[in-house]
Amino acid sequence: VYKRQPMYLEQLKEEIQLHIKTEQEITSESLQKLKLLEACFQESIRLMSPAPILVPRVASQDQQLGNIIMKKGSIVNVNIISLLCGKGLLNEKQFRPERFLNGELDKLDPMLKIPFSAGPRNCIGQHLSLLEAKIITCLLYTSDAADDLLCVDLGGRRIIQQK
């Protein structure tokens, strides 16, 4: 996502280098200062959820959602991408991490922002995966390694490799 958004890529680099000068300075406290990095990750998973369709559930009772009637025992799937990008919520697929910085999403029902699911069956690794992604991003920008990396498109799937 960042390679397609050079403006944010440069801002991220500046934010990281402002708060973290060396690998040893990557701490829980320093990571919490990286508000743009957090917003970029949240916007990225809004657009490309790690779990685009939740595990199917069985309706425990008859339920009506708008003009749709679900009978007790029906199998129900939740399409996360539709919740996060669909009509009526944000209705856009434009990458704008500032929506997570300016409180724009605070007005929404928190259950609409569930890229890792929610409730008792949510992803137990969600915090660890975001923490790992932040640490790896910071490592790239606090070393010379970032200069030797190349983003390669493999038919819609992007990977990062050394030049």
Side-chain angles (χ1 to χ4, degrees), residues 16-30:
I16 291 168
Q17 291 176 345
L18 175 69
H19 296 289
I20 301 172
K21 307 283 190 263
T22 66
E23 292 179 14
Q24 290 72 28
E25 292 180 24
I26 301 174
T27 63
S28 177
E29 293 78 23
S30 63

Side-chain angles (χ1 to χ4, degrees), residues 8-163:
Y8 293 110
L9 193 60
E10 191 57 38
Q11 289 177 9
L12 274 176
K13 183 177 179 179
E14 289 172 12
E15 180 184 64
I16 291 168
Q17 291 176 345
L18 175 69
H19 296 289
I20 301 172
K21 307 283 190 263
T22 66
E23 292 179 14
Q24 290 72 28
E25 292 180 24
I26 301 174
T27 63
S28 177
E29 293 78 23
S30 63
L31 291 174
Q32 289 176 11
K33 294 177 185 176
L34 304 175
K35 302 299 183 192
L36 180 62
L37 181 63
E38 174 69 25
C40 284
F41 278 125
Q42 292 301 322
E43 182 69 347
S44 294
I45 61 176
R46 181 187 74 82
L47 292 169
M48 294 180 274
S49 176
I53 297 178
L54 295 180
V55 176
R57 305 283 198 259
V58 177
S60 59
Q61 60 188 25
D62 291 350
Q63 185 73 40
Q64 183 167 351
L65 293 167
N67 60 355
I68 299 171
I69 298 173
M70 292 180 290
K71 296 284 186 190
K72 180 179 179 177
S74 298
I75 305 291
V76 180
N77 280 315
V78 177
N79 181 334
I80 296 295
I81 299 297
S82 293
L83 281 177
L84 300 173
C85 300
K87 186 176 179 181
L89 177 61
L90 299 172
N91 200 17
E92 65 175 73
K93 294 185 179 183
Q94 181 184 6
F95 185 81
R96 284 193 321 110
E98 57 272 5
R99 75 178 87 234
F100 287 90
L101 297 171
N102 64 15
E104 183 179 328
L105 298 181
D106 294 344
K107 300 171 235 155
L108 297 174
D109 182 342
M111 291 304 285
L112 292 175
K113 302 177 287 185
I114 55 170
F116 290 98
S117 186
R121 295 187 184 116
N122 71 344
C123 176
I124 61 172
Q126 65 182 310
H127 299 294
L128 177 62
S129 66
L130 287 172
L131 181 62
E132 287 175 331
K134 290 176 190 178
I135 290 170
I136 290 168
T137 303
C138 290
L139 284 171
L140 289 173
Y141 285 114
T142 57
S143 69
D144 295 330
D147 298 333
D148 296 328
L149 295 177
L150 178 66
C151 186
V152 179
D153 191 336
L154 297 176
R157 195 153 177 90
R158 296 181 189 274
I159 62 164
I160 297 176
Q161 66 182 32
Q162 281 192 308
K163 289 182 182 176

